[in-house]
Amino acid sequence: RSRRQRQMCIRDRSKIGLEMAIKRLNPNDKFNIVLFNDRYSSYARTPVLATAKEKDKAVRYVRRLSAENGTDMYPALSFSLNNFRSNKSVLKQLIFLTDGAVTQETELFSLINSKLKTSRLFTIGIGSAPNSFFMTRAAEIGRGSHIHIGDMSEISVRMEELFNKIENPAITDLELILPKGFKAEVYPNPLPDLYVCLLYTSPSPRD
């Protein structure tokens, strides 16, 4: 499997999805966790290898988290984007989970445009509070995708769908080259990556 660096930037009440993400990491992946409310903190100073021991430690870290007030996303997102190592051969994925309201949209869009570079951004909104316009557009700018989870009973299924997708990129860095002198408006812009389509079927009930 190819190597990945994965940052997980979360509100502390989004722990179920985060624990799922940690458990799916491969031993040659690197990861970090950035928690935010009215301030932010990180699991590690820089991304760490996803060994079995490190993943167990990270899961215990997540389970100890307690909910606090505030959703100051800008410092946490800025830290997460800066925290990636510069190795160009590694696929860098930032998973942004929140169950809180999004403010400072203009500043956050500017931050993503200026610092994302070759990383991919995936956004997950849980409940009714997150701003769906921001979450969707942020993922488009980040050549990722957005999912909304309206009911906590859906979280396992929806997160499974997202992870199956982002773990199987087929074509990345797509670019549309138009004939000389031909002008057109392209959407989405930038073009998203393409992923392997994985279909799952449940067994039919036996008579």
Side-chain angles (χ1 to χ4, degrees):
R1 289 177 180 262
S2 60
R3 291 185 299 145
R4 295 170 297 188
Q5 282 190 39
R6 185 171 292 171
Q7 303 276 345
M8 289 164 277
C9 186
I10 70 157
R11 273 265 295 177
D12 48 10
R13 284 177 288 179
S14 306
K15 296 192 289 186
I16 297 173
L18 177 57
E19 190 169 325
M20 288 181 63
I22 294 168
K23 291 179 177 178
R24 292 182 69 105
L25 291 166
N26 297 315
N28 57 345
D29 292 336
K30 287 188 174 183
F31 75 99
N32 202 356
I33 303 164
V34 181
L35 170 70
F36 67 94
N37 34 70
D38 58 350
R39 57 189 182 278
Y40 78 90
S41 59
S42 65
Y43 170 73
R45 187 174 59 86
T46 57
V48 294
L49 274 173
T51 62
K53 182 178 180 180
E54 197 69 59
K55 289 194 292 184
D56 288 344
K57 180 181 174 183
V59 167
R60 292 194 299 271
Y61 168 82
V62 169
R63 290 176 178 175
R64 289 195 301 268
L65 299 176
S66 59
E68 296 182 23
N69 295 325
T71 52
D72 191 0
M73 302 177 185
Y74 190 98
L77 188 57
S78 179
F79 174 85
S80 299
L81 291 169
N82 287 328
N83 199 233
F84 282 117
R85 294 296 182 90
S86 61
N87 191 331
K88 294 182 179 179
S89 66
V90 176
L91 179 61
K92 303 176 183 69
Q93 298 172 328
L94 172 57
I95 302 173
F96 185 88
L97 297 90
T98 184
D99 59 0
V102 178
T103 59
Q104 297 178 287
E105 289 180 20
T106 302
E107 292 84 355
L108 288 168
F109 283 140
S110 177
L111 175 67
I112 293 167
N113 275 311
S114 64
K115 291 192 175 182
L116 191 67
K117 297 180 182 177
T118 61
S119 304
R120 302 301 191 256
L121 175 61
F122 300 85
T123 61
I124 303 168
I126 299 176
S128 59
N131 181 326
S132 60
F133 167 75
F134 168 79
M135 300 291 276
T136 301
R137 181 56 185 152
E140 286 178 352
I141 296 171
R143 289 176 287 181
S145 59
H146 165 64
I147 62 170
H148 174 257
I149 302 172
D151 190 323
M152 288 299 289
S153 66
E154 302 172 350
I155 193 166
S156 294
V157 173
R158 300 302 309 281
M159 294 290 284
E160 181 82 12
E161 291 172 0
L162 177 67
F163 295 139
N164 283 333
K165 174 179 179 177
I166 67 178
E167 289 169 359
N168 293 279
I171 304 174
T172 61
D173 300 315
L174 285 170
E175 183 180 358
L176 178 61
I177 301 176
L178 299 172
K180 188 175 181 179
F182 185 85
K183 295 182 179 180
E185 184 175 338
V186 179
Y187 183 84
N189 183 21
L191 294 175
D193 296 334
L194 298 181
Y195 294 84
V196 175
C197 180
L198 300 176
L199 298 178
Y200 295 89
T201 57
S202 56
S204 300
R206 294 176 180 265
D207 295 331

